[in-house]
Amino acid sequence: MKFRDLMFGALLALAGTSLTQAQSFKEFNEGFPETVQKMYHVPVAMGDGVKLATDIYLPDKTGKYPTLLIRDMYTNGSAASRQKYAKFATSNGYALVFQSVRGRYDSEGKWYPYFQEINDGDDTLSWIAEQSWSDGKVGMFGSSYLASVQWLAAINKNPALVAIAPAVSPGNYYRDVAYPGGAFSLLSRASWGIGLVGSRTNMSFPVDWVSGINHLPIETLAQSVGFNVQHFQDWIAHPSYDDYWKPLNLEDRATEMDVPAINIGGWFDVFLRSTIGSYTTMTEQSASSTSRNGQRLIIGPWPHGWNQSSKLGDVDFGENALIDAPAMLLDWFDYWMKGSTKPKGLKADEAPVRIFIMGENVWRDEQEWPLARTDYRPFYFHDNQTLSEKSPAKKTGTLKYDYDPADPVPTLGGNIMMPKLRGPYDQKPLDDREDILRFVTEPFTEATEFTGPISAEIYASSSAPDTDFMAKLIVVKPDGTAFNLVDGVIRARYREGFEKPKLIEPGKVYKYEIDMWATSYKLSPGDRIRVDITSSNYPRLARNLNTGAEFAKTSEMQVAHQTLHMSKEYPSKIVLPIIP
């Protein structure tokens, strides 16, 4: 039996089970077994001599064990959530090593996100493999930054690293973390980069990160709320994709990695694009057939805090939305690290991709991503604000709106970190705004599924030398409820690529391609699709001030008069991946 068939029986069977808040490892609340050996704050030297505080948990004082490694920057290992990871590992015959990353909590060195994790992760893997209690095999798991460190450690192809399970992980730090579509991810970079992780320990100073970050210019934003954070200043100093960001484009570095991975993501996660990107690039380009065939993808109806609740925003996706994460992880690591061939729940004919179909609210396994049977259909915008598969026949057709940076469209749902804003929300609070163009289809007469990458191609002109254009895909229910599924943005100066910005000529029509990432939804008869076009999404994204000035350097702004073109010559459209 091939591993491709074998392992996905376990993964997919378990993904379909329901367990409330499974990701919290609630079943590991009890104390450690008496045999567990614990060693706290062991100083482990990195290649440059800096010592990182490392906790070690062994199932017993004798024997050699496969090891699960967590490298963390959010706690020092004493938090209940991290203790549960140690209980999970040791109760299942694994050693667990918990390490605070460089410059955080009791670890020496200077804290600076991301870059230092490449060598530190590699050094830690080598150290574990050399220990008397280690059998030489190491696996890694964790979410968000705890997932980032897995990919970064994998770059050096350390032979000790045999499997990883990154959840909701960034993979292209320019396109996902900092500048989606070329527009600065203001809310997450300020609240996380300045507020939470601006020093050695997590911080919670009384700063309103949603409505209190409208300070301009952005280059003095941190100072305006009382901080001086070097990594935040570096992020805003590099608004284009340049040599600063290239080491962190893990999609371009797949050839340097050789490790099987479960890529776990959420349709409403801020790093969804990278979850899919990591799966596809590793499947196609990673260094060995074992690694290429060992990639797995699972995407649920989750935000960045994955697998915690069936309800997100204004929508409840039902009890099937949650999975038994600990059992899934145990099967995964048992196969790679203990030679297990028959995990519980095994089915031999399952597939490498598992996705949750929203609307129908069911899990489904697939053979590839994107789905080979996809029918990519264009839906065109018309100047009567309809959306249809019929292409425009008119020689001219336009709609106009004004974008005022002093009064931006407020963020309402989407793929963001902030718990009170993320996910699907009824868009009714934005109905009165005149700076949004809305295009809607006729009601669908039969159930229709779209699953896969979403993109918009619009033709637009502006009175400004630089501006933003945004598209949001919305499902409109028969009762009038209209909730968002996915959106995207393109900053005009990056319409031809993110490396070399080029301002636009006011009044000239340009084609803008908007990457809206991906989603999966099954419409019911009577549902309609709506697409909203606008130029702001604040504070999720920093406002384009429309002046063409260098990013973050100015507080000067101007109103942009925007024109969307819809004609035979300029067929603005959205392309949906319809599944027959």
Side-chain angles (χ1 to χ4, degrees):
M1 186 181 297
K2 295 181 179 179
F3 171 75
R4 185 180 184 87
D5 295 328
L6 172 68
M7 198 55 236
F8 264 86
L11 174 61
L12 303 179
L14 290 165
T17 62
S18 174
L19 183 65
T20 302
Q21 296 187 356
Q23 173 60 8
S24 63
F25 286 67
K26 288 182 70 174
E27 62 269 50
F28 296 98
N29 282 327
E30 303 301 324
F32 287 96
E34 292 183 3
T35 58
V36 171
Q37 305 296 300
K38 300 179 285 290
M39 293 166 274
Y40 297 126
H41 294 179
V42 175
V44 174
M46 300 293 100
D48 60 358
V50 170
K51 296 180 177 65
L52 305 188
T54 305
D55 300 338
I56 304 164
Y57 302 82
L58 304 178
D60 196 283
K61 62 182 179 181
T62 61
K64 293 180 178 292
Y65 301 100
T67 301
L68 297 179
L69 168 64
I70 289 183
R71 304 193 65 249
D72 197 356
M73 45 76 71
Y74 291 112
T75 84
N76 65 357
S78 63
S81 60
R82 286 8 180 199
Q83 291 290 295
K84 290 176 184 179
Y85 292 157
K87 295 168 188 174
F88 161 73
T90 54
S91 64
N92 287 293
Y94 290 87
L96 185 124
V97 171
F98 177 95
Q99 185 177 78
S100 295
V101 301
R102 180 180 295 241
R104 294 285 286 178
Y105 293 91
D106 296 300
S107 287
E108 297 175 353
K110 181 181 179 181
W111 159 243
Y112 193 100
Y114 309 125
F115 294 92
Q116 58 199 11
E117 314 304 355
I118 297 174
N119 290 333
D120 287 354
D122 186 53
D123 290 342
T124 302
L125 290 168
S126 295
W127 177 83
I128 292 172
E130 295 168 355
Q131 301 309 299
S132 61
W133 42 261
S134 169
D135 73 353
K137 295 180 180 179
V138 184
M140 299 179 72
F141 72 98
S143 306
S144 194
Y145 199 91
L146 283 67
S148 295
V149 297
Q150 299 173 51
W151 288 118
L152 294 165
I155 287 175
N156 287 312
K157 298 180 189 175
N158 193 301
L161 185 62
V162 298
I164 60 176
V168 293
S169 175
N172 182 324
Y173 291 68
Y174 176 82
R175 296 252 342 241
D176 300 323
V177 178
Y179 290 93
F184 185 56
S185 189
L186 177 65
L187 178 57
S188 77
R189 293 306 85 196
S191 60
W192 186 85
I194 300 174
L196 185 63
V197 300
S199 65
R200 294 192 67 90
T201 60
N202 289 357
M203 300 188 297
S204 56
F205 289 100
V207 177
D208 183 352
W209 294 108
V210 174
S211 57
I213 54 174
N214 61 350
H215 173 85
L216 293 173
I218 290 177
E219 69 174 355
T220 56
L221 170 61
Q223 179 182 343
S224 75
V225 292
F227 298 99
N228 178 14
V229 181
Q230 185 58 51
H231 54 252
F232 182 81
Q233 299 306 128
D234 291 343
W235 296 338
I236 62 176
H238 295 272
S240 300
Y241 180 65
D242 57 17
D243 288 341
Y244 175 83
W245 297 108
K246 288 179 181 178
L248 299 179
N249 185 350
L250 304 185
E251 295 167 12
D252 276 0
R253 305 190 70 174
T255 57
E256 301 175 57
M257 302 185 208
D258 187 7
V259 63
I262 299 180
N263 299 270
I264 304 167
W267 292 126
F268 292 95
D269 176 43
V270 65
F271 302 137
L272 171 65
R273 199 199 69 82
S274 268
T275 298
I276 295 172
S278 294
Y279 171 77
T280 55
T281 56
M282 288 294 287
T283 298
E284 297 167 357
Q285 302 173 26
S286 58
S288 72
S289 59
T290 299
S291 176
R292 292 190 294 273
N293 294 330
Q295 299 303 310
R296 304 295 181 251
L297 177 66
I298 178 169
I299 306 178
W302 306 318
H304 195 60
W306 71 284
N307 200 40
Q308 294 181 357
S309 173
S310 65
K311 188 177 188 299
L312 179 61
D314 290 336
V315 179
D316 193 328
F317 293 105
E319 62 179 12
N320 288 331
L322 302 181
I323 65 173
D324 188 341
M328 180 181 72
L329 293 173
L330 183 61
D331 274 354
W332 176 252
F333 290 120
D334 277 356
Y335 177 84
W336 286 107
M337 303 175 72
K338 292 186 177 181
S340 172
T341 58
K342 293 185 178 180
K344 182 180 179 181
L346 177 66
K347 294 180 181 179
D349 58 351
E350 299 287 8
V353 174
R354 184 74 166 179
I355 53 177
F356 188 88
I357 314 302
M358 297 183 290
E360 190 176 12
N361 293 347
V362 297
W363 289 94
R364 192 173 71 219
D365 52 316
E366 295 288 349
Q367 294 295 329
E368 71 286 305
W369 183 274
L371 312 190
R373 64 186 183 279
T374 304
D375 179 13
Y376 293 96
R377 294 188 198 169
F379 284 72
Y380 295 93
F381 305 138
H382 298 273
D383 58 7
N384 62 355
Q385 294 192 271
T386 60
L387 183 68
S388 74
E389 293 187 78
K390 183 179 180 180
S391 60
K394 293 182 179 180
K395 290 185 177 180
T396 60
T398 61
L399 288 171
K400 301 176 184 291
Y401 66 94
D402 290 341
Y403 159 49
D404 183 358
D407 182 25
V409 175
T411 297
L412 182 59
N415 296 53
I416 51 181
M417 288 185 177
M418 186 64 65
K420 68 179 181 179
L421 294 177
R422 65 194 181 194
Y425 281 91
D426 189 353
Q427 300 295 294
K428 186 176 181 179
L430 303 180
D431 282 355
D432 292 336
R433 295 195 66 97
E434 297 181 354
D435 51 358
I436 303 174
L437 299 180
R438 302 169 181 86
F439 301 87
V440 64
T441 65
E442 292 293 322
F444 280 69
T445 58
E446 59 184 27
T448 303
E449 178 190 332
F450 47 91
T451 293
I454 312 286
S455 62
E457 181 181 285
I458 67 171
Y459 293 86
S461 56
S462 175
S463 64
D466 186 39
T467 193
D468 290 348
F469 290 103
M470 302 178 185
K472 181 185 293 184
L473 179 63
I474 295 166
V475 172
V476 182
K477 306 302 286 186
D479 65 1
T481 302
F483 61 85
N484 56 294
L485 281 181
V486 70
D487 56 58
V489 60
I490 186 66
R491 181 146 291 195
R493 67 174 66 192
Y494 294 116
R495 67 197 178 279
E496 297 181 8
F498 299 106
E499 296 192 17
K500 295 182 179 180
K502 294 177 63 176
L503 298 180
I504 59 176
E505 179 182 333
K508 183 177 179 179
V509 179
Y510 293 91
K511 180 173 73 173
Y512 297 97
E513 296 179 357
I514 302 176
D515 182 0
M516 300 173 69
W517 297 4
T519 194
S520 178
Y521 192 89
K522 190 168 186 177
L523 298 167
S524 299
D527 289 349
R528 293 179 290 166
I529 292 173
R530 193 176 95 193
V531 177
D532 288 0
I533 301 294
T534 188
S535 292
S536 52
N537 183 353
Y538 183 82
R540 176 186 173 186
L541 300 173
R543 297 165 287 177
N544 194 318
L545 304 184
N546 298 327
T547 64
E550 186 177 355
F551 175 69
K553 300 291 187 181
T554 181
S555 57
E556 180 185 354
M557 62 179 71
Q558 66 183 38
V559 174
H561 307 293
Q562 319 286 54
T563 303
L564 183 66
H565 295 257
M566 300 149 287
S567 64
K568 188 174 182 179
E569 182 181 5
Y570 300 124
S572 295
K573 61 188 177 184
I574 187 172
V575 179
L576 297 181
I578 305 298
I579 306 303

